Amino acid sequence: GYIDVGEGNSLFYYLFRVRNKSLSPAPLVIWLEGGPGFSTSLGVFSEGGPYIVNNRTLEIEKNEFAWNSMADTLFVDQPAGTHMSIATKAERMCQNETCVTNDLYLSLIHISEPTRRYAISYAVFCLKKK
């Protein structure tokens, strides 16, 4: 899906619900690829996502070690302009960690709002305030 972070920019995300339904409510794990500025699609399809691409056959297989085995898992392409995330104005693309943090904070608020399923940690709130 997409999360509007303002000024025409949107962050792309994958959200996979926990496989183990006995974990209710499930914790939320956030996967961010290194950089920032690298797509989380690599992590989704070759590392921690629910399905992986088999390197030999190029077929999609269930990942028995997926992070969503024990938690809801959120993969976010960030900052805006990375892979499938959208940056409509070059001057609005993040140039520092404060901007990246603010956009990520907005995405977490968006993900938690519909159901109040997740509590946003105090650590993230402190990053936002600085």
Side-chain angles (χ1 to χ4, degrees), residues 93-107:
M93 291 179 70
C94 289
Q95 301 297 316
N96 57 56
E97 292 298 319
T98 301
C99 177
V100 172
T101 300
N102 288 339
D103 284 357
L104 185 56
Y105 175 78
L106 288 173
S107 69

Side-chain angles (χ1 to χ4, degrees), residues 32-43:
L32 304 172
E33 285 295 335
F38 197 77
S39 174
T40 58
S41 292
L42 178 65

Side-chain angles (χ1 to χ4, degrees), residues 78-94:
Q78 52 81 40
T82 300
H83 192 58
M84 295 197 305
S85 288
I86 299 166
T88 57
K89 300 177 183 176
E91 64 272 8
R92 176 55 181 94
M93 291 179 70
C94 289

Side-chain angles (χ1 to χ4, degrees), residues 2 10-13 76-87:
Y2 284 92
S10 298
L11 298 183
F12 177 79
Y13 71 95
V76 182
D77 279 354
Q78 52 81 40
T82 300
H83 192 58
M84 295 197 305
S85 288
I86 299 166

Side-chain angles (χ1 to χ4, degrees), residues 30-100:
I30 302 168
W31 180 294
L32 304 172
E33 285 295 335
F38 197 77
S39 174
T40 58
S41 292
L42 178 65
V44 167
F45 294 108
S46 68
E47 298 175 282
Y51 300 96
I52 57 174
V53 177
N54 182 310
N55 290 333
R56 288 184 292 277
T57 65
L58 300 180
E59 292 181 8
I60 296 175
E61 302 172 350
K62 184 176 180 180
N63 183 0
E64 297 299 325
F65 304 103
W67 285 30
N68 74 317
S69 296
M70 300 301 284
D72 289 347
T73 308
L74 175 68
F75 294 78
V76 182
D77 279 354
Q78 52 81 40
T82 300
H83 192 58
M84 295 197 305
S85 288
I86 299 166
T88 57
K89 300 177 183 176
E91 64 272 8
R92 176 55 181 94
M93 291 179 70
C94 289
Q95 301 297 316
N96 57 56
E97 292 298 319
T98 301
C99 177
V100 172

